[in-house]
Amino acid sequence: MRSAVNDLLGAYDKLIMDPVHGGIPLYRHEIAVIDHPLFQRLRNICQNDILSLVFPGATHSRFLHSIGVMHVGSRMFRAMIDAYLRERQLSDHSDLTLSQLDAIDYLTKVIRLGCLLHDSGHSSFSHQFTKARRIHELMAHPTRFEALWRGEDYTRYYPQPPRELEHEHYSVRVAHEVLSAIALSNAGLAPEDILGVMETTDVQPSEAFCRHAITFWSFIAGEDASSGVLDQDDVPHMVMGLLSSIVSGEIDADRADYMLRDGFHSSVTIGGFNLDHLLSNLRFGWDVGSRWLGLAITHKGLGALEDFVYSRHQMYRKVYAHKTALGFDWLLREAINEVLDEPEIFDWVDTCLSNMTDFTELTDSFFWEAFRRYARKHPKSYSKCIVDRIKLDHLDTRDNLSADEISAHCDYLVRALGLNPGDVVTCSMRARFSNIQDNFNGIKVLIRDPVTRTRSLKQITSVSEFFSKFSDGTITHFYHQPTLLRR
């Protein structure tokens, strides 16, 4: 088994060339994960469902996005380590011990695999799949979770079965299947630690993780690490929370990659931000009294964070909520519901959602073929619209309407334009920005006194007014159905 020192020196086994990040190094156990059929299926799932019908370049896959997230997550963690070492060496010129190197190496590997597998449970057309009514009903079946885990022990990850399954639950199930199939012990890793940093799980860290977490905490917190305020079990869970925030948080590797990748492949410049500048200003933050360990950003890095948030806001409004894109999303969901009316398709999808071997079949290709077959038999169908790119006719767009106001505006358009009420449809996207202020209060601003060199943390919204400007916004588009679908 290769030593931590060799891994930290970059002795990788393979290099993938990525159009967004350039060369991405891979290690032996990561290659084994990527080569597994359940991960390879992500090659056949587009990152942005059918956004390519509007932005033709947006054909990039969940496969490369997942590898990109792994790369960014690793960079985030190591950037904070590097910054801490630079600042620490200015005062005491201390070097890392082997146990500290080993701890950093272990946590880095956990982050990388957590990021790599975070989206492995996505099915055909990503988020639109679970939004389709018939699919939602299938995933909400009361015995679905038990069927999905038949023969496997899920209690390490879920003390109680979830009430309703989402794609995150499938990611955990896929991760368990994949990690059980590879020689993970050769990398010195415990699978529960990787699944513990993924969404929806509640995991007791392994003995190895607890040992490395305590070493890591002592290394970064210095004198604060010996505080009697913390219990023995606090530190591993604090460290796991830190790693989880890198995998899935407000400043996380997932968002950083998909914003850059979606902007690049859509040729939309509004999604751009300076990742290097953002990473160079990330720091570890902790508060022993509140048992908090998380991400902090330097005061001079606030501009980079503001660019990150604004770019995300603009991508939602200008790309993900584009009037034609949302219209095709609506047609896609109806087409999925439509083909599931065929018993053979319904039964097979039902089987795939409960069996990991068959789950590999749930790709975009499966449904594209189903749409083509259905469209040949039913030329006046939603499937025909998807196959031949027949879009909804856009009528109007309104912001922040209530359900009653949406209904009233539909009635107005029907009367004013002389339309059949059944031919007017609406699509809404809620840009989830109301939580920015609250969630960014969990990301602290690191203030350092230039004379005493003492550190203090402040809530981000008390330092920058920028993050208080965002609120939830709902964009609603109104459409007239295509001629072939009109009643």
Side-chain angles (χ1 to χ4, degrees):
M1 183 174 67
R2 180 176 16 218
S3 72
V5 176
N6 283 339
D7 280 344
L8 286 169
L9 287 174
Y12 56 84
D13 295 288
K14 194 172 187 177
L15 192 70
I16 285 182
M17 298 310 297
D18 175 62
V20 174
H21 302 296
I24 297 179
L26 299 174
Y27 303 102
R28 191 171 296 116
H29 60 282
E30 295 163 355
I31 296 170
V33 168
I34 291 170
D35 285 343
H36 193 282
L38 280 168
F39 194 88
Q40 285 292 312
R41 64 183 281 278
L42 297 178
R43 289 181 182 273
N44 298 308
I45 297 175
C46 276
Q47 170 72 10
N48 299 117
D49 47 78
I50 52 173
L51 188 65
S52 61
L53 295 184
V54 182
F55 299 94
T59 58
H60 52 299
S61 67
R62 288 274 162 188
F63 177 84
L64 198 50
H65 164 64
S66 297
I67 295 174
V69 175
M70 177 192 70
H71 179 65
V72 174
S74 178
R75 286 192 62 195
M76 287 177 69
F77 187 63
R78 294 192 179 193
M80 290 187 284
I81 292 286
D82 290 344
Y84 184 79
L85 287 173
R86 286 196 307 271
E87 293 165 0
R88 180 174 173 177
Q89 287 170 354
L90 288 175
S91 58
D92 58 17
H93 300 283
S94 58
D95 295 322
L96 286 169
T97 65
L98 285 178
S99 63
Q100 290 168 343
L101 278 171
D102 200 32
I104 293 169
D105 177 61
Y106 190 92
L107 299 181
T108 301
K109 287 177 177 176
V110 168
I111 289 172
R112 285 176 65 88
L113 284 182
C115 288
L116 184 63
L117 291 163
H118 83 288
D119 266 354
S120 57
H122 266 298
S123 296
S124 313
F125 304 114
S126 297
H127 292 286
Q128 297 308 316
F129 181 79
T130 53
K131 291 180 180 179
R133 173 180 51 81
R134 299 293 301 278
I135 296 297
H136 182 80
E137 292 169 356
L138 280 173
M139 292 179 66
H141 194 281
T143 64
R144 181 70 61 191
F145 183 80
E146 285 76 8
L148 186 63
W149 284 90
R150 187 176 292 116
E152 299 289 339
D153 179 17
Y154 63 77
T155 58
R156 286 190 295 171
Y157 318 126
Y158 297 103
Q160 298 294 330
R163 292 184 179 180
E164 191 171 306
L165 295 185
E166 300 290 347
H167 79 269
E168 291 90 352
H169 297 102
Y170 278 86
S171 292
V172 172
R173 181 64 183 91
V174 168
H176 172 82
E177 189 78 9
V178 172
L179 296 177
S180 298
I182 69 170
L184 192 61
S185 59
N186 289 343
L189 294 169
E192 61 265 31
D193 298 337
I194 296 153
L195 273 69
V197 302
M198 296 173 66
E199 290 185 277
T200 75
T201 59
D202 183 6
V203 168
Q204 180 61 39
S206 71
E207 183 278 331
F209 186 96
C210 293
R211 182 177 72 255
H212 291 310
I214 291 170
T215 299
F216 173 75
W217 170 245
S218 299
F219 160 61
I220 66 164
E223 295 179 358
D224 287 344
S226 59
S227 170
V229 175
L230 297 177
D231 296 328
Q232 183 66 26
D233 293 336
D234 287 334
V235 170
H237 286 95
M238 287 167 58
V239 173
M240 185 159 278
L242 168 70
L243 305 192
S244 297
S245 70
I246 293 175
V247 177
S248 179
E250 279 303 314
I251 310 178
D252 62 14
D254 180 32
R255 286 190 175 98
D257 182 81
Y258 79 61
M259 285 167 55
L260 292 174
R261 194 171 300 278
D262 293 353
F264 174 84
H265 287 283
S266 302
S267 299
V268 177
T269 57
I270 57 173
F273 65 95
N274 192 322
L275 179 62
D276 292 335
H277 188 203
L278 180 63
L279 296 187
S280 69
N281 284 286
L282 286 181
R283 300 291 187 272
F284 297 115
W286 63 86
D287 184 339
V288 175
S290 61
R291 293 172 170 81
W292 179 81
L293 173 63
L295 302 182
I297 191 159
T298 66
H299 191 275
K300 71 176 183 177
L302 282 175
L305 183 57
E306 290 171 0
D307 286 344
F308 177 84
V309 174
Y310 182 70
S311 294
R312 180 180 159 213
H313 181 265
Q314 288 295 89
M315 284 291 288
Y316 268 94
R317 295 194 64 88
K318 305 300 184 184
V319 177
Y320 308 133
H322 187 283
K323 64 182 187 299
T324 308
L326 278 193
F328 275 121
D329 285 345
W330 185 88
L331 289 168
L332 173 63
R333 293 192 296 271
E334 292 303 317
I336 292 173
N337 292 332
E338 190 174 64
V339 298
L340 285 174
D341 285 336
E342 296 193 337
E344 181 182 358
I345 297 292
F346 180 89
D347 291 343
W348 179 238
V349 172
D350 187 26
T351 298
C352 291
L353 288 172
S354 293
N355 184 289
M356 282 291 100
T357 300
D358 297 326
F359 188 69
T360 57
E361 300 290 332
L362 282 183
T363 64
D364 294 359
S365 304
F366 172 83
F367 274 97
W368 274 113
E369 185 55 36
F371 295 155
R372 293 186 185 97
R373 288 200 305 268
Y374 195 94
R376 285 195 293 268
K377 292 186 291 184
H378 306 280
K380 293 185 177 182
S381 62
Y382 297 109
S383 294
K384 181 69 171 176
C385 293
I386 293 297
V387 170
D388 288 351
R389 197 188 178 276
I390 301 171
K391 64 182 180 179
L392 295 173
D393 297 327
H394 182 252
L395 298 175
D396 199 8
T397 298
R398 289 286 187 270
D399 289 342
N400 302 322
L401 297 184
S402 66
D404 289 342
E405 289 170 331
I406 291 174
S407 179
H409 196 61
C410 280
D411 293 341
Y412 164 75
L413 291 173
V414 166
R415 293 192 308 270
L417 300 175
L419 307 177
N420 185 327
D423 291 336
V424 175
V425 300
T426 65
C427 300
S428 297
M429 173 175 278
R430 190 168 184 80
R432 298 182 298 272
F433 286 96
S434 63
N435 290 330
I436 280 186
Q437 182 169 343
D438 292 337
N439 287 341
F440 272 110
N441 281 338
I443 300 171
K444 311 298 184 184
V445 179
L446 179 63
I447 307 295
R448 184 181 296 276
D449 189 292
V451 178
T452 64
R453 305 197 64 79
T454 56
R455 299 157 52 104
S456 62
L457 295 170
K458 293 187 177 181
Q459 287 189 338
I460 198 165
T461 47
S462 70
V463 179
S464 171
E465 295 182 358
F466 176 86
F467 300 94
S468 302
K469 297 177 182 178
F470 292 92
S471 61
D472 264 4
T474 300
I475 301 171
T476 302
H477 299 301
F478 297 81
Y479 305 92
H480 194 204
Q481 294 215 48
T483 303
L484 65 86
L485 297 176
R486 291 174 191 169
R487 302 174 186 181

